Amino acid sequence: DTAVSQTPKYLVTQMGNDKSIKCEQNLGHDTMYWYKQDSKKFLKIMFSYNNKELIINETVPNRFSPKSPDKAHLNLHINSLELGDSAVYFCASSQGGTKGYEDFGPGTRLTVT
Amino acid sequence: GQNIDQPTEMTATEGAIVQINCTYQTSGFNGLFWYQQHAGEAPTFLSYNVLDGLEEKGRFSSFLSRSKGYSYLLLKELQMKDSASYLCAVKNQGGKLIFGQGTELSVKP
């Protein structure tokens, strides 16, 4: 299946821990993204990479660090997790440019206790 | 600032037609997108408008007026499976996709 996949689907962890979420796309897209969807269902962009290069970096705490080893993968590492980090994190990809639409992964529901 | 407004909730009857409105103010405009999101699932792409007018895709149509900063999504012959959240999003000058808060549509028998 051609798609955007991410692991894990659910992540429950304690405050202060460090965790990673992995994302892979086999759509041949050039651009990948991380979005955060909060409890009010607002979907907000965090980062965007084009061909492994960071092109969008929203006002996100520097505890969040994306890494793109190649254009098919974009991982998100979060240090010193806080209660407010609880949300659903979606990875997405697009062909890039201003007209491509984003294909979203299934999401990772992060719960920080 | 950048702002996208859409109604929080709507209810409609199976078989009917419903129109979900969206107004926007963004820094630049590179297209308006509609996504559907079922509870607990990922958003899926429905439609894209960059020029004024109506785009039709089966039971779904989307309209854009750039001068008015306005779009709507029209769903015809509603089915129970259309119960979902509908997200309006605008790609701004910098290539960022800015989302509205979504409209939760409930389709009742």
Side-chain angles (χ1 to χ4, degrees):
Chain A
D1 282 345
T2 53
V4 181
S5 58
Q6 54 184 109
T7 54
K9 190 162 173 62
Y10 299 97
L11 190 50
V12 181
T13 189
Q14 290 185 326
M15 280 175 57
N17 284 348
D18 303 339
K19 289 293 177 186
S20 292
I21 308 172
K22 294 187 175 182
C23 178
E24 176 182 1
Q25 56 95 5
N26 61 6
L27 296 163
H29 288 163
D30 292 330
T31 307
M32 295 186 74
Y33 312 81
W34 278 110
Y35 283 83
K36 178 180 180 180
Q37 189 168 43
D38 61 25
S39 55
K40 293 184 180 177
K41 298 192 179 175
F42 242 115
L43 199 54
K44 194 170 177 193
I45 190 166
M46 300 172 70
F47 302 103
S48 173
Y49 272 74
N50 183 268
N51 271 319
K52 303 194 298 176
E53 188 180 332
L54 181 66
I55 55 171
I56 294 175
N57 185 351
E58 285 296 275
T59 310
V60 175
N62 57 16
R63 297 182 295 102
F64 290 79
S65 52
K67 280 196 173 58
S68 181
D70 56 61
K71 76 171 196 175
H73 295 84
L74 179 63
N75 303 322
L76 183 65
H77 189 75
I78 317 170
N79 288 328
S80 304
L81 277 155
E82 300 178 358
L83 292 176
D85 297 332
S86 296
V88 181
Y89 292 85
F90 286 101
C91 178
S93 71
S94 74
Q95 194 45 52
T98 53
K99 294 180 181 147
Y101 66 85
E102 269 90 305
D103 275 300
F104 284 84
T108 296
R109 182 172 292 277
L110 171 65
T111 304
V112 183
T113 62
Chain B
Q2 305 194 96
N3 199 43
I4 298 181
D5 283 320
Q6 49 181 131
T8 308
E9 295 176 332
M10 295 184 74
T11 303
T13 306
E14 196 175 11
I17 298 173
V18 72
Q19 177 174 312
I20 303 174
N21 295 324
C22 171
T23 58
Y24 64 89
Q25 280 180 306
T26 54
S27 52
F29 179 83
N30 277 304
L32 187 139
F33 299 76
W34 284 95
Y35 282 81
Q36 180 190 60
Q37 186 176 24
H38 284 101
E41 296 184 10
T44 54
F45 170 75
L46 285 179
S47 70
Y48 166 71
N49 294 70
V50 69
L51 299 176
D52 289 354
L54 191 67
E55 293 282 339
E56 296 186 78
K57 239 189 204 183
R59 292 190 300 115
F60 294 4
S61 305
S62 56
F63 171 83
L64 174 67
S65 168
R66 286 171 298 170
S67 61
K68 294 181 180 173
Y70 168 70
S71 172
Y72 67 72
L73 180 70
L74 195 71
L75 293 79
K76 301 176 190 172
E77 300 167 20
L78 278 171
Q79 302 174 11
M80 299 298 289
K81 67 177 183 180
D82 297 330
S83 292
S85 188
Y86 291 85
L87 310 176
C88 175
V90 173
K91 193 156 277 194
N92 72 2
Q93 193 171 342
K96 286 183 207 171
L97 201 55
I98 312 294
F99 281 87
Q101 80 271 25
T103 298
E104 195 69 42
L105 174 67
S106 297
V107 180
K108 305 220 180 284

